[in-house]
């Protein structure tokens, strides 16, 4: 076998190995990107509400209420968290997990929604430990 043919075969082998490496690299990157797209960016159930003061509701002091990515609060039975307080509106407020944090939006309730005893107008960003007031019920946001 002439030396020229051997050198040509070695070059072709190196090109084939290089292309196989590139194909394997692209396949690995594609698989990782698909995993990132399929995974939810924010974890569900990223927090709970702890009952500080149940008011006239059947909730118990210290009870933990798990949160969904969108958690509605109010007197109506269709809410995620039902607050059987006459001062709570049927659909009083909604907690939403967005941008890596919880947001509380008052749904134009009659008696208002409070965070740390401050009235919420529209929407408010929450931090762990914030106390939400709806009617006579007090709930603390816990991570």
């Amino acid at each position: 076998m002439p030396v020229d043919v051997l050198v040509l075969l070695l070059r072709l082998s190196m090109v084939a190995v290089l292309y196989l490496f590139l194909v394997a690299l692209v396949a690995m990157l594609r698989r990782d990107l698909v995993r990132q797209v399929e995974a939810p960016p924010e974890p569900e159930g990223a927090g709970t509400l702890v009952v500080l003061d149940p008011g006239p509701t059947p909730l118990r002091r210290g009870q933990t209420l798990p949160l969904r990515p969108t958690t509605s609060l109010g007197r109506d039975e269709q809410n995620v968290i039902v607050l059987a307080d006459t001062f709570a509106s049927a659909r009083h407020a909604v907690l939403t997990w967005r941008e890596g944090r919880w947001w509380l939006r008052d749904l134009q309730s009659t008696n208002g929604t409070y965070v740390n005893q401050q009235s919420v107008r529209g929407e408010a960003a929450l931090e762990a430990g914030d106390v939400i007031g709806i009617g006579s019920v007090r709930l603390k946001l816990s991570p």
Side-chain angles (χ1 to χ4, degrees), residues 9-10 25-26 35 41 50 53 73 98 115 128-129 132 135 138 142:
L9 287 175
L10 284 174
L25 182 66
V26 168
R35 275 192 207 147
V50 178
D53 182 357
L73 300 102
R98 187 175 74 241
V115 174
I132 300 167
R138 301 290 171 265
S142 179

Side-chain angles (χ1 to χ4, degrees), residues 50-54 60-63 130-132 138-140:
V50 178
V51 179
L52 298 178
D53 182 357
R60 296 177 316 278
R61 190 179 313 273
Q63 180 179 355
D130 282 347
V131 176
I132 300 167
R138 301 290 171 265
L139 307 164
K140 182 173 78 171

Side-chain angles (χ1 to χ4, degrees), residues 39-46 69 97-101:
E42 293 118 1
E44 291 189 21
W97 178 256
R98 187 175 74 241
E99 300 166 2
R101 67 186 321 172

Side-chain angles (χ1 to χ4, degrees), residues 13 44-45 50 67 84 87 92 116 118 137:
S13 298
E44 291 189 21
V50 178
L67 296 174
F87 292 104
H92 197 97
N116 301 325
Q118 300 294 318
V137 178

Side-chain angles (χ1 to χ4, degrees), residues 45-50 64-65 67 102 127-130 139-143:
T48 59
L49 291 177
V50 178
T64 58
L65 307 168
L67 296 174
W102 287 104
E127 301 290 333
D130 282 347
L139 307 164
K140 182 173 78 171
L141 180 64
S142 179

Side-chain angles (χ1 to χ4, degrees), residues 16-133:
V17 167
L18 180 62
Y19 275 110
L20 285 172
F21 173 76
L22 290 175
V23 167
L25 182 66
V26 168
M28 182 181 67
L29 289 173
R30 183 180 181 282
R31 184 183 65 230
D32 287 345
L33 286 174
V34 167
R35 275 192 207 147
Q36 286 180 357
V37 168
E38 290 176 349
E42 293 118 1
E44 291 189 21
T48 59
L49 291 177
V50 178
V51 179
L52 298 178
D53 182 357
T57 69
L59 299 171
R60 296 177 316 278
R61 190 179 313 273
Q63 180 179 355
T64 58
L65 307 168
L67 296 174
R68 296 182 186 169
T70 300
T71 303
S72 57
L73 300 102
R75 199 175 58 241
D76 192 314
E77 292 291 327
Q78 293 184 0
N79 287 298
V80 174
I81 297 176
V82 177
L83 303 172
D85 183 343
T86 56
F87 292 104
S89 298
R91 288 191 32 82
H92 197 97
V94 66
L95 276 165
T96 306
W97 178 256
R98 187 175 74 241
E99 300 166 2
R101 67 186 321 172
W102 287 104
W103 295 81
L104 177 68
R105 184 169 28 108
D106 180 71
L107 300 176
Q108 299 178 341
S109 62
T110 304
N111 294 309
T113 303
Y114 296 85
V115 174
N116 301 325
Q117 299 179 356
Q118 300 294 318
S119 181
V120 173
R121 304 224 187 265
E123 191 170 52
L126 299 179
E127 301 290 333
D130 282 347
V131 176
I132 300 167

